[in-house]
């Protein structure tokens, strides 16, 4: 029997669905369903139809959206094996608050020559990320032969050059420091420093990943543009009255109107070859003028790897390598996982990692007690029993495919493993929050934490003889990087074929 919906009620349903068109994906889907729930004039059957309309509209909207990503484009299809595994990935990624893809970014600045994208506050995605809610991640992408207009931010920033070569200029304490940047460079930029840069390459984009720590409004930061016009970008000088500017700059009003009314091309603009050449006459790196002998940048690729074998390399930069990071309690690490290899399982004792996939494809798995407890709590509430919280009651496997441009959050203490695909390396740069005295604790391989336990502790903890525990946890002779499941399976199949 078909239930008829009166016209005015149908309009209410449309209003609920229309809320999806005002924003992006999951939060708007929840908002749409909330609108359905709030409609008092409809019955339960009609409310169910309203929920279904929300989901249908959201599904159609996502399928019609074009992939507009130009930064870190997705190159090729991830090898996931069986179709069931692909469906499993999809279901887990939809419920995963730790993974951010292209659609989660907000395009803050965009011109025909480049763009700056920013992730929203992490707590807008999940309260589980409250520990890093004051940090923001931004990605700058500039086309060849372009110039980024001078500006400053109300945030301390750590920059990582993921791709391309450019020249960065920083003006602070009455001095200007200019130095050429290249892939692998890590640069600290103090809040309030006027910064501008150029992409001096002819054919390659300049891509920089930024970690920002706002100093004014927690979790919020702004760009402030001095050079500019009435709009795009607007100069902050235009916020002052004409008589103030006349007195401060000691010039006539007509000249001020000309100066602050010309630039309309945007924040990222094309520069001539002569201008690029003139601003590129600097040494690689450079000497920092603010604080003695500390360098303006450090290149993580040129550091000695802290761990290295045939399956991967780990490079790290902290306050001992680069003094500019000391007061931020931040370090930067770079992992190059060889195709078919994997990093971990490991966990960080103190640091929460904000990882950006620089290149390659693969997947990661993480054990999360918080999602498991939320799921268990919902189950207990539905059963109306077991009010107490049980410690060690379980972990939820968080799993997602990784590809260029994705951002992954790995909280402190959470065991995690990253696996490269069988056809290319997986490269990750990690901004490590609370890095001071942090330790990477291996859960497998040489020197893993389980192999350090007393024999009695092994027997009591695992409920099997200590000899069996030792045999298992001391079988792997590599450290940190291992042959992944795909490479291991190929090796075993090759062995069977030879036999």
């Amino acid at each position: 029997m078909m239930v008829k919906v009166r016209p005015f009620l149908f309009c209410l349903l449309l209003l609920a669905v229309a809320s999806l068109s005002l924003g992006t994906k999951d939060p708007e889907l929840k908002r749409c369903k909330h609108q359905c729930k709030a409609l008092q004039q409809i019955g339960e059957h009609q409310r169910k139809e309203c929920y279904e309309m929300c989901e249908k509209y959201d599904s159609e909207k996502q399928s019609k959206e074009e992939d507009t990503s130009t930064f870190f484009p997705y190159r090729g299809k991830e090898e996931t094996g069986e179709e069931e595994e692909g469906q499993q990935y999809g279901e887990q990624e939809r419920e995963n608050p730790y993974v951010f893809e292209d659609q989660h970014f907000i395009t803050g600045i965009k011109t025909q020559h480049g763009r700056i994208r920013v992730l929203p506050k992490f707590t807008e995605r999940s309260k589980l990320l409250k520990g890093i809610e004051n940090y923001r991640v931004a990605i700058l992408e500039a086309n060849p032969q372009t110039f980024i207009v001078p500006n400053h931010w109300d945030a301390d920033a750590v920059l990582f050059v993921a791709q391309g070569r450019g020249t960065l200029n920083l003006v602070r304490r009455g001095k200007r420091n200019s130095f050429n940047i290249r892939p692998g460079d890590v640069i600290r930029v103090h809040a309030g420093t006027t910064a501008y840069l150029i992409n001096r390459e002819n054919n390659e984009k300049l891509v920089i990943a930024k970690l920002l720590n706002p100093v004014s409004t927690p979790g919020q930061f702004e760009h402030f543009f001095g050079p500019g016009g009435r709009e795009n970008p607007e100069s902050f000088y235009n916020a002052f009255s004409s008589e103030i500017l006349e007195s401060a700059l000691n010039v006539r009003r007509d000249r001020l109107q000309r100066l602050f009314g010309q630039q309309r091309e945007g924040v990222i603009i094309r520069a001539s070859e002569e201008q690029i050449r003139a601003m590129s006459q600097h040494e690689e790196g450079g000497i920092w003028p603010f604080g003695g002998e500390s360098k303006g940048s450090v290149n993580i690729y040129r550091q000695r790897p802290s761990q290295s074998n045939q399956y991967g390399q780990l490079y790290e930069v902290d306050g001992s390598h680069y003094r500019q990071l000391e007061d931020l309690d931040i370090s930067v690490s770079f992992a190059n996982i060889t195709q078919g290899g994997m990093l971990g399982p490991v966990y960080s004792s103190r640091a929460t990692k904000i990882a950006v996939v620089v290149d390659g494809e693969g997947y990661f798995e993480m054990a999360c007690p918080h999602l498991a407890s939320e799921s268990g709590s919902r189950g207990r509430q539905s059963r109306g029993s077991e009010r107490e919280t049980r410690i060690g009651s379980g972990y939820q496997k968080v799993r997602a495919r990784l590809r260029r441009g994705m951002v992954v959050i790995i909280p402190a203490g959470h065991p995690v493993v990253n696996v490269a695909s069988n056809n290319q390396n997986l490269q990750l740069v990690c901004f490590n929050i609370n890095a001071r005295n942090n330790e990477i604790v291996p859960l497998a391989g040489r020197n893993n934490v389980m192999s350090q336990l007393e024999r009695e502790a092994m027997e009591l903890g695992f409920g099997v003889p200590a000899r069996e525990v030792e045999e298992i946890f001391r079988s792997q002779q590599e450290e940190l990087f291992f042959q992944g499941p795909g490479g291991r399976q190929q090796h075993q199949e090759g062995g069977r074929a030879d036999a």
Side-chain angles (χ1 to χ4, degrees):
M1 178 179 176
M2 182 176 293
V3 178
K4 295 183 180 180
V5 181
R6 293 194 298 271
F8 81 96
L9 291 180
F10 183 72
C11 292
L12 290 174
L13 298 180
L14 289 180
L15 285 174
V17 175
S19 69
L20 277 170
S21 64
L22 300 178
T24 58
K25 299 186 175 64
D26 290 348
E28 283 63 39
L29 179 58
K30 292 179 182 177
R31 188 185 309 156
C32 179
K33 289 185 174 181
H34 179 74
Q35 296 272 6
C36 295
K37 186 176 180 180
L39 295 174
Q40 302 296 324
Q41 305 96 322
I42 62 177
E44 287 303 315
H45 183 83
Q46 295 165 348
R47 198 182 312 278
K48 183 178 179 182
E49 288 184 339
C50 185
Y51 290 150
E52 290 174 351
M53 290 176 67
C54 290
E55 292 175 351
K56 181 179 179 181
Y57 185 88
D58 180 63
S59 177
E60 291 176 352
K61 179 183 176 184
Q62 293 188 40
S63 65
K64 291 179 181 179
E65 284 179 345
E66 295 182 357
D67 181 11
T68 58
S69 172
T70 56
F71 158 61
F72 287 159
Y74 174 35
R75 302 186 306 184
K77 185 177 181 180
E78 172 64 33
E79 296 179 356
T80 57
E82 301 293 333
E83 183 177 352
E84 292 181 1
E85 184 179 356
Q87 293 174 350
Q88 182 186 33
Y89 269 125
E91 292 174 0
Q92 291 172 345
E93 287 173 358
R94 283 193 294 270
E95 301 173 356
N96 191 342
Y98 299 106
V99 175
F100 297 82
E101 300 190 67
D102 185 72
Q103 67 266 22
H104 296 113
F105 282 85
I106 300 168
T107 301
I109 295 172
K110 185 175 182 180
T111 74
Q112 61 178 320
H113 302 295
R115 63 176 178 170
I116 299 174
R117 299 185 304 144
V118 184
L119 279 181
K121 287 182 64 175
F122 289 114
T123 46
E124 292 185 14
R125 183 74 179 277
S126 172
K127 293 181 180 179
L128 295 175
L129 304 179
K130 188 173 179 62
I132 57 171
E133 69 174 337
N134 194 44
Y135 292 90
R136 302 292 296 275
V137 172
I139 305 294
L140 163 69
E141 180 186 42
N143 290 346
Q145 300 283 293
T146 51
F147 173 75
I148 290 81
V149 172
N151 65 99
H152 70 267
W153 323 306
D154 55 347
D156 286 313
V158 178
L159 280 54
F160 175 80
V161 182
Q163 177 182 311
R165 294 175 180 269
T167 299
L168 176 65
N169 293 268
L170 302 174
V171 181
R172 182 169 177 256
R173 294 180 180 173
K175 296 180 181 179
R176 175 175 55 82
N177 184 45
S178 303
F179 51 96
N180 292 334
I181 56 177
R182 60 197 183 281
D185 275 351
V186 176
I187 308 109
R188 188 289 181 61
V189 179
H190 290 263
T193 299
T194 295
Y196 60 99
L197 60 87
I198 58 169
N199 180 356
R200 52 192 172 92
E201 292 291 286
N202 292 318
N203 301 306
E204 189 175 23
K205 288 185 177 181
L206 177 64
V207 178
I208 297 177
K210 303 179 183 180
L211 177 70
L212 299 113
N213 185 10
V215 298
S216 179
T217 304
Q220 302 289 339
F221 76 97
E222 296 290 343
H223 293 83
F224 295 84
F225 294 93
R230 298 289 178 187
E231 57 183 15
N232 195 28
E234 180 183 6
S235 169
F236 53 68
Y237 285 103
N238 282 323
F240 295 101
S241 57
S242 298
E243 55 268 24
I244 290 294
L245 292 179
E246 286 183 83
S247 298
L249 298 175
N250 195 28
V251 294
R252 297 192 313 272
R253 182 173 304 189
D254 59 335
R255 297 186 64 190
L256 291 173
Q257 291 174 343
R258 171 176 169 77
L259 177 64
F260 298 119
Q262 294 298 307
Q263 218 280 72
R264 298 184 181 88
E265 295 185 24
V267 174
I268 306 173
I269 59 180
R270 182 82 176 179
S272 68
E273 291 186 11
E274 292 76 13
Q275 292 169 326
I276 295 291
R277 192 179 304 114
M279 289 188 287
S280 302
Q281 304 302 316
H282 307 289
E283 304 256 334
E284 295 288 335
I287 301 300
W288 201 250
F290 322 121
E293 299 177 355
S294 183
K295 293 183 178 179
S297 67
V298 61
N299 192 277
I300 200 168
Y301 299 157
R302 296 191 176 187
Q303 306 303 306
R304 180 187 295 273
S306 55
Q307 292 288 342
S308 178
N309 60 29
Q310 61 179 316
Y311 303 113
Q313 303 81 39
L314 178 67
Y315 301 86
E316 298 176 286
V317 167
D318 57 21
S320 65
H321 305 90
Y322 182 43
R323 205 172 72 189
Q324 300 295 325
L325 296 177
E326 281 183 343
D327 65 309
L328 296 179
D329 198 11
I330 290 172
S331 69
V332 180
S333 57
F334 177 85
N336 176 43
I337 308 172
T338 307
Q339 59 187 54
M342 69 181 192
L343 189 167
V346 299
Y347 69 85
S348 293
S349 61
R350 294 190 72 252
T352 292
K353 294 179 176 289
I354 301 176
V356 181
V357 183
V358 175
D359 199 7
E361 299 171 7
Y363 67 93
F364 92 107
E365 291 185 0
M366 183 175 72
C368 179
H370 308 299
L371 294 180
S373 64
E374 286 183 355
S375 177
S377 176
R378 288 193 294 268
R380 288 192 294 272
Q381 289 175 5
S382 65
R383 295 192 300 270
S385 61
E386 297 186 44
R387 293 183 180 180
E388 73 277 4
T389 300
R390 293 182 297 166
I391 298 176
S393 59
Y395 306 90
Q396 181 164 321
K397 178 173 67 176
V398 178
R399 180 171 180 165
R401 289 168 290 191
L402 300 178
R403 52 183 176 266
R404 298 182 80 189
M406 292 178 63
V407 175
V408 179
I409 310 302
I410 305 170
H414 285 51
V416 65
V417 61
N418 296 288
V419 184
S421 69
N422 289 330
N423 56 12
Q424 59 182 298
N425 291 7
L426 176 64
Q427 298 182 347
L428 305 165
V429 61
C430 296
F431 298 102
N432 306 303
I433 313 299
N434 301 323
R436 195 173 296 116
N437 299 321
N438 180 62
E439 177 188 359
I440 297 178
V441 181
L443 300 175
R446 222 160 8 105
N447 298 320
N448 74 80
V449 66
M450 297 302 157
S451 66
Q452 308 299 317
L453 302 180
E454 295 174 292
R455 293 175 59 85
E456 293 78 10
M458 292 179 179
E459 291 183 353
L460 292 168
F462 288 99
V464 298
R467 175 181 51 79
E468 189 174 341
V469 179
E470 289 176 333
E471 288 177 354
I472 290 175
F473 281 98
R474 294 177 181 175
S475 294
Q476 175 62 262
Q477 297 304 306
E478 298 290 350
E479 189 170 2
L480 198 64
F481 293 95
F482 314 114
Q483 186 177 54
R488 185 179 178 85
Q489 183 179 1
Q490 289 181 351
H491 179 75
Q492 291 174 345
E493 290 175 350
R496 288 194 295 269
D498 292 339

